[in-house]
């Protein structure tokens, strides 16, 4: 795998008799980076007489030739856990220039003269990615190895590579991997990444809790999530996710996933689930019948729901605050006319962009201008024509000029500096209020929204007027 990612350069070409020939120079250039698997003394001797250095005008390019190259290597690393090792050649001077840890290892007061150094705690592809940066000044990251590369960069104190890894992780952050990255960011002491993880987990809590990655976190991370006051999730979802984690933890500890063992691995963390804040129906049909609670705990919680004299509980009885939704209102006024705003299956649409990551939770829509009415709304969010979220939902309009909120099933992550399309197709009373004096830019707290017309809009909505007066979001 590592050899496929970073082919080892083991041999340089033999000396040529006509160094002025462009064809021969091209052959030298190709051979200089060709791994033919040989490292014999005769080959090395032949290489030393080759003027390959003349092919590369800069020291950076000449250093790059030495990356993963046996020629002139004065140290070797055996990288990876037992059974999955790879032998990697190195050059002490180059490594010492790129890392203070390598400098101390090779030239410090306690330097040891070792020809072979074993590194069992770093994966070969990640070690090679670090060496590629040190030798070639190139950053080559991928989703499968970036965490291990960050570990290597931290271990050998290569700060610029570590920052690049963190930036890569922030860019790829989503509800699917936020819990795992939260755990790793705490381990690597990366507070900015930790904060970004919390933003995603808070806003998209139910998606994050239901992700496979949630079951892979450690007990400390689990407890920190369960303590979270701003977790935007129903408590029943928190309870079910915690039981899923407990089952996975039983497997990690090689325990049978029985109810008793799930309770055992959870320990006191179970009391961080705010079970008394569940809807009574959820508790009765879910938590009360799960078997995880003791009989006394179940009885006491039922009494807490129903009795005037409530028993003391070890569980927190205060609901989580969750996140307060914010509203971006893009019109300065609204109006109605006897012949507007009509709906006949046509689409009202607007494009928007933000300058920092937010999570769109829903839209504020106008309602009937002719008394109370019910509308069916198909709402949609798209990025570059690709649907990200859709929902068909009904809402009731009381005949006022107020906006009426329609929610997506889950908040949708919106990245900065990219235009997204918000659309709605309404079915209901044909005449409704509509917005006027639209703004191309709206400041909402620390977030700036920009608006532009959408080609999807077939019912007249645009920047200056129309429907979709509000975007409802978490930031």
């Amino acid at each position: 795998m590592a050899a496929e990612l970073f082919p080892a350069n083991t041999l340089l070409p033999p000396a040529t008799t006509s160094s002025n020939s462009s064809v021969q120079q091209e052959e030298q250039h190709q051979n200089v980076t060709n791994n033919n698997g040989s490292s014999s003394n005769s080959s090395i001797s032949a290489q030393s007489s080759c003027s390959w250095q003349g092919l590369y005008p800069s020291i950076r390019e000449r250093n790059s030739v030495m990356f993963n190259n046996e020629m002139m290597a004065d140290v070797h690393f055996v990288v990876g856990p037992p059974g999955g090792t790879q032998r990697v050649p190195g050059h002490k001077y180059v490594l010492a220039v790129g890392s203070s840890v390598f400098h101390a290892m090779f030239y410090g007061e306690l330097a040891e003269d070792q020809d072979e150094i074993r590194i069992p705690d770093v994966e070969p592809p990640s070690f090679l990615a670090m060496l590629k940066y040190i030798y070639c000044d190139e950053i080559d990251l991928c989703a499968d190895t970036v965490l291990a590369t960050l570990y290597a960069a931290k271990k050998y104190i290569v700060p610029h590579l570590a920052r690049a890894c963190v930036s890569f992780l922030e860019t790829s952050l989503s509800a699917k991997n936020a819990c795992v990255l939260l755990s790793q960011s705490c381990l690597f002491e990366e507070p900015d990444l930790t904060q970004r993880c919390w933003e995603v987990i808070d806003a998209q809590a139910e998606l994050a809790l239901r992700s496979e990655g949630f079951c892979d976190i450690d007990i400390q991370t689990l407890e920190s999530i369960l303590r979270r006051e701003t977790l935007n999730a129903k408590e029943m979802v928190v309870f079910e996710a915690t039981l899923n984690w407990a089952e996975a933890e039983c497997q990690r500890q090689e325990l049978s996933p029985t109810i008793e063992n799930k309770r055992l691995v959870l320990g006191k963390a179970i009391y961080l689930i705010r079970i008394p804040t569940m809807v009574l129906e959820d508790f009765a049909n879910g938590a009360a019948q799960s078997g995880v609670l003791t009989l006394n705990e179940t009885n006491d919680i039922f009494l807490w729901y129903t009795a005037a004299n409530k028993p003391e509980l070890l569980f927190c009885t205060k609901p989580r605050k969750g996140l307060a939704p914010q509203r971006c209102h893009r019109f300065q006024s609204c109006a109605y006319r006897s012949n507007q705003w009509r709906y006949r299956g046509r689409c009202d649409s607007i494009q928007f962009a933000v300058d920092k990551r937010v999570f769109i939770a829903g839209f504020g829509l106008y309602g009937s201008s002719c008394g109370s009415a019910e509308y069916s709304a198909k709402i949609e969010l798209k990025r570059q024509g690709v649907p990200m979220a859709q929902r068909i939902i009904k809402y009731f309009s009381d005949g006022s000029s107020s906006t009426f909120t329609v929610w997506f099933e889950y908040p949708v992550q919106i990245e900065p500096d990219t235009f997204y399309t918000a659309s709605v197709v309404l079915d209901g009373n044909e005449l409704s209020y509509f917005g006027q004096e639209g703004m191309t830019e709206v400041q909402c707290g620390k977030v700036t929204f920009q608006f532009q017309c959408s080609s999807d809009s077939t019912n007249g909505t645009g920047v200056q007027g129309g429907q979709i007066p509000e975007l409802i979001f978490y930031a």
Side-chain angles (χ1 to χ4, degrees):
M1 174 69 177
E4 294 173 2
L5 288 172
F6 310 110
N9 305 318
T10 57
L11 288 181
L12 296 174
T16 59
T17 57
S18 178
S19 61
N20 293 329
S21 168
S22 61
V23 174
Q24 289 173 323
Q25 282 186 339
E26 179 61 25
E27 290 175 351
Q28 276 191 319
H29 176 77
Q30 291 175 354
N31 291 335
V32 124
T33 57
N34 180 47
N35 174 19
N36 60 18
S38 172
S39 59
S40 66
N41 292 333
S42 61
S43 297
I44 295 295
S45 176
Q47 293 160 8
S48 63
S49 63
C50 170
S51 61
W52 62 269
Q53 293 88 342
L55 298 174
Y56 303 96
S58 69
I59 185 64
R60 175 183 174 276
E61 291 173 291
R62 292 192 290 276
N63 254 5
S64 297
V65 174
M66 294 295 101
F67 166 60
N68 202 16
N69 197 325
E70 287 287 352
M71 193 187 75
M72 294 188 287
D74 52 1
V75 66
H76 287 82
F77 301 94
V78 180
V79 186
T85 60
Q86 181 175 341
R87 196 168 188 266
V88 179
H91 307 80
K92 293 181 180 179
Y93 167 74
V94 178
L95 295 169
V97 169
S99 161
S100 59
V101 173
F102 283 131
H103 181 273
M105 187 184 298
F106 301 135
Y107 300 106
E109 294 180 359
L110 301 178
E112 297 182 9
D113 188 16
Q114 298 181 57
D115 293 332
E116 191 171 273
I117 299 171
R118 295 188 175 275
I119 307 177
D121 59 330
V122 178
E123 293 292 334
S126 300
F127 188 77
L128 285 165
M130 181 181 69
L131 261 56
K132 188 174 187 180
Y133 170 73
I134 291 174
Y135 278 80
C136 311
D137 202 24
E138 294 179 16
I139 296 176
D140 190 4
L141 302 173
C142 66
D144 291 338
T145 60
V146 63
L147 277 173
T149 303
L150 176 59
Y151 173 78
K154 287 279 189 176
K155 177 177 180 178
Y156 292 99
I157 311 181
V158 187
H160 185 75
L161 178 60
R163 285 195 294 272
C165 291
V166 171
S167 296
F168 183 96
L169 290 169
E170 288 181 353
T171 302
S172 60
L173 185 60
S174 70
K176 292 181 179 179
N177 60 15
C179 295
V180 171
L181 292 184
L182 175 67
S183 177
Q184 296 297 319
S185 67
C186 295
L187 177 65
F188 293 135
E189 298 180 344
E190 289 290 343
D192 290 342
L193 179 57
T194 300
Q195 179 59 32
R196 300 290 184 276
C197 291
W198 279 127
E199 290 172 3
V200 174
I201 293 170
D202 281 343
Q204 296 182 299
E206 294 193 358
L207 286 175
L209 292 171
R210 286 171 169 152
S211 68
E212 292 182 6
F214 178 77
C215 294
D216 296 331
I217 61 178
D218 55 79
I219 184 69
Q220 291 79 15
T221 305
L222 173 71
E223 290 176 348
S224 67
I225 292 174
L226 295 182
R227 289 192 184 95
R228 193 75 174 169
E229 190 69 31
T230 48
L231 209 59
N232 211 32
K234 296 177 182 177
E235 208 62 30
M236 190 62 204
V237 175
V238 177
F239 178 79
E240 291 171 347
T242 304
L243 290 190
N244 291 336
W245 179 91
E247 183 171 348
E249 182 65 13
C250 286
Q251 294 174 355
R252 285 189 287 270
Q253 296 188 22
E254 298 182 350
L255 297 172
S256 176
T258 62
I259 295 297
E260 293 76 13
N261 284 337
K262 289 180 183 179
R263 180 67 187 251
L264 176 66
V265 298
L266 282 171
K268 293 183 178 180
I270 194 168
Y271 297 115
L272 299 175
I273 308 171
R274 306 187 183 191
I275 294 177
T277 68
M278 292 179 184
V279 177
L280 178 57
E281 184 179 358
D282 285 348
F283 172 71
N285 295 325
Q289 298 186 45
S290 67
V292 173
L293 303 177
T294 66
L295 184 59
N296 285 339
E297 288 169 342
T298 303
N299 288 338
D300 284 348
I301 294 173
F302 266 122
L303 287 173
W304 191 91
Y305 277 109
T306 57
N309 186 17
K310 300 183 183 299
E312 290 188 7
L313 301 175
L314 292 175
F315 297 92
C316 181
T317 59
K318 184 180 178 182
R320 301 179 198 271
K321 293 180 180 178
L323 290 177
Q326 301 181 52
R327 293 174 180 263
C328 174
H329 196 93
R330 66 188 191 91
F331 296 126
Q332 298 181 69
S333 65
C334 70
Y336 71 91
R337 299 192 185 111
S338 60
N339 61 344
Q340 290 181 311
W341 196 264
R342 293 182 179 274
Y343 307 103
R344 291 174 183 170
R346 293 189 292 263
C347 179
D348 288 288
S349 182
I350 191 72
Q351 288 194 329
F352 70 94
V354 292
D355 62 347
K356 64 171 291 186
R357 175 183 286 153
V358 299
F359 303 86
I360 296 294
F363 303 152
L365 302 176
Y366 288 122
S368 170
S369 59
C370 303
S372 60
E374 185 178 67
Y375 286 89
S376 174
K378 179 184 178 182
I379 57 175
E380 184 176 54
L381 264 180
K382 292 192 291 188
R383 178 179 180 176
Q384 297 177 347
V386 179
M388 301 180 67
Q390 290 180 341
R391 195 179 188 192
I392 296 176
I393 189 171
K394 292 186 177 182
Y395 71 95
F396 181 79
S397 162
D398 61 7
S400 72
S401 61
S402 302
T403 58
F404 302 92
T405 303
V406 290
W407 303 95
F408 287 105
E409 186 176 4
Y410 302 108
V412 183
Q413 183 170 310
I414 302 297
E415 297 297 334
D417 305 321
T418 300
F419 272 95
Y420 294 78
T421 304
S423 302
V424 60
V425 177
L426 288 172
D427 182 20
N429 194 319
E430 283 202 350
L431 294 177
S432 82
Y433 289 92
F434 59 92
Q436 296 184 131
E437 300 178 278
M439 296 172 283
T440 57
E441 185 172 299
V442 180
Q443 187 74 30
C444 295
K446 296 181 179 180
V447 184
T448 301
F449 284 80
Q450 290 183 323
F451 294 96
Q452 67 181 25
C453 293
S454 167
S455 59
D456 290 349
S457 191
T458 57
N459 199 41
T461 288
V463 173
Q464 295 302 317
Q467 261 285 8
I468 319 179
E470 289 180 334
L471 299 179
I472 303 169
F473 68 99
Y474 301 115

